[in-house]
């Protein structure tokens, strides 16, 4: 089943307008009219999937330490910016479902936890979005995580994520039964786009905060762009409308 991929996806929840990977960010994206959000999910020491990008806490909270070594009781007490807490996947799912947002759940395993993270996140996503009209799109740089996600929740669509797409991407894409190809916007070649078009593979590119770059990428056939600039590309802005090329 094709996913209703919008032109713009709010990156790390609310982009730059809210603390990244927080409920405030997701709420803001929804209020600005975004219909899809991407966020990063890692396991705590207790094995709970939580929204956070880095393996360590210092950039986005006021303490140091590794996420994988931090128990829930500590993790959920931290300030993730603006008084927001680090959300659990369950909290983010509830909000996405409440607002009808398409979620791109990026499985972001700490090093060494690839299989466990893929397994736990896929299993939990399948339960949290059970009977939802649109399933979330799982994605990961980790092929191991995607492989195990496929085993535990085969019905969930998977996005194969790269910085730069390698020449043999189609082999991996087929092996993992992927739905979409995600990659860094400034590393996207015309060869990859041509092959994706031929195979009817949606291409999603990150992170685009510039309207000229966006226009070029949409013109080259990219389906969706991840952006931090929710202020520029919210569906109600004129800039968004001028770039919303038939999507
Ligand atoms: O999923 C797209 C993008 O979020 C990947 O990069 O580092 O922002 O998670 P990063
Ligand atoms: Mg991400």
């Amino acid at each position: 089943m094709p996913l209703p991929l919008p032109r713009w996806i709010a990156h790390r929840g609310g982009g730059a307008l809210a603390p990244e990977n927080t409920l405030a960010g997701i709420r803001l994206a929804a209020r600005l009219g975004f219909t899809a959000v991407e966020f990063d999910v890692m396991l705590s020491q207790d094995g709970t999937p939580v929204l956070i990008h880095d393996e360590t806490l210092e950039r986005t909270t006021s303490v140091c330490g590794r996420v994988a070594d931090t128990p829930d009781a500590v993790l959920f007490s931290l300030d993730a910016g603006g008084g927001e807490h680090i959300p659990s996947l369950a909290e983010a799912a509830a909000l996405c479902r409440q607002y009808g947002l398409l979620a791109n759940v990026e499985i972001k395993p700490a090093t060494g936890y690839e299989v466990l993270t893929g397994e736990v996140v896929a299993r939990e996503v399948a339960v949290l979005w059970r009977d939802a009209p649109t399933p979330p799109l799982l994605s990961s740089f980790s092929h191991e995580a995607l492989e195990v996600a496929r085993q535990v929740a085969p019905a969930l669509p998977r996005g194969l994520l790269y910085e730069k797409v390698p020449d043999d991407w189609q082999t991996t894409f087929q092996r993992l039964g992927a739905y979409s190809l995600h990659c860094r916007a400034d590393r996207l070649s015309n060869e990859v786009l041509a092959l994706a078009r031929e195979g009817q593979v949606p291409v999603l590119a990150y992170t685009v905060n510039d309207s000229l770059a966006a226009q070029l990428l949409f013109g080259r056939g990219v389906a969706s762009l991840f952006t931090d600039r929710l202020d520029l590309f919210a569906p109600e802005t004129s800039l968004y409308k001028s770039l919303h090329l038939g999507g």
Side-chain angles (χ1 to χ4, degrees):
M1 184 186 73
L3 290 173
L5 286 174
R7 284 299 196 188
W8 292 98
I9 300 172
H11 184 231
R12 300 188 193 178
L17 288 185
E20 69 178 51
N21 287 312
T22 62
L23 299 180
I26 295 173
R27 225 174 260 124
L28 183 68
R31 287 192 182 134
L32 289 172
F34 282 81
T35 58
V37 290
E38 180 264 4
F39 48 80
D40 308 294
V41 177
M42 197 177 290
L43 300 184
S44 71
Q45 187 185 49
D46 294 310
T48 304
V50 300
L51 273 60
I52 193 157
H53 180 276
D54 297 2
E55 287 196 37
T56 54
L57 295 162
E58 58 261 28
R59 185 178 61 84
T60 53
T61 75
S62 50
V63 303
C64 292
R66 304 190 71 77
V67 177
D69 297 337
T70 309
D72 290 354
V74 175
L75 212 54
F76 293 133
S77 72
L78 299 175
D79 187 341
E84 286 293 307
H85 66 281
I86 295 174
S88 65
L89 174 60
E91 288 176 304
L95 209 52
C96 288
R97 293 197 63 169
Q98 181 191 329
Y99 286 114
L101 291 166
L102 170 66
N104 175 196
V105 179
E106 186 191 332
I107 306 171
K108 191 76 110 181
T111 310
Y113 292 86
E114 289 79 7
V115 171
L116 183 64
T117 310
E119 182 185 340
V120 171
V121 172
R123 187 165 285 138
E124 194 159 311
V125 163
V127 172
L128 291 168
W129 270 270
R130 183 177 288 152
D131 302 327
T134 307
L137 175 59
L138 299 177
S139 64
S140 190
F141 288 107
S142 165
H143 298 175
E144 281 175 285
L146 289 176
E147 181 69 62
V148 70
R150 182 189 199 181
Q151 286 162 21
V152 302
L156 292 174
R158 290 167 298 281
L160 181 55
L161 178 53
Y162 291 107
E163 271 208 31
K164 182 175 180 349
V165 180
D167 289 344
D168 64 350
W169 69 272
Q170 287 173 298
T171 311
T172 312
F173 192 90
Q174 275 162 19
R175 181 169 58 79
L176 296 172
Y179 169 77
S180 50
L181 180 66
H182 305 204
C183 90
R184 240 178 83 157
D186 57 358
R187 302 273 177 89
L188 196 46
S189 71
N190 287 335
E191 290 71 26
V192 166
L193 283 169
L195 288 170
R197 192 177 313 116
E198 233 170 71
Q200 295 185 304
V201 172
V203 176
L204 287 69
Y206 68 95
T207 306
V208 177
N209 296 325
D210 170 85
S211 56
L212 183 59
Q215 201 159 15
L216 292 172
L217 286 158
F218 287 142
R220 291 167 68 206
V222 171
S224 305
L225 298 176
F226 299 95
T227 190
D228 295 319
R229 291 299 305 270
L230 271 59
D231 53 336
L232 285 184
F233 301 117
E236 287 315 310
T237 66
S238 57
L239 189 50
Y240 174 91
K241 284 176 183 150
S242 70
L243 289 172
H244 198 69
L245 310 170

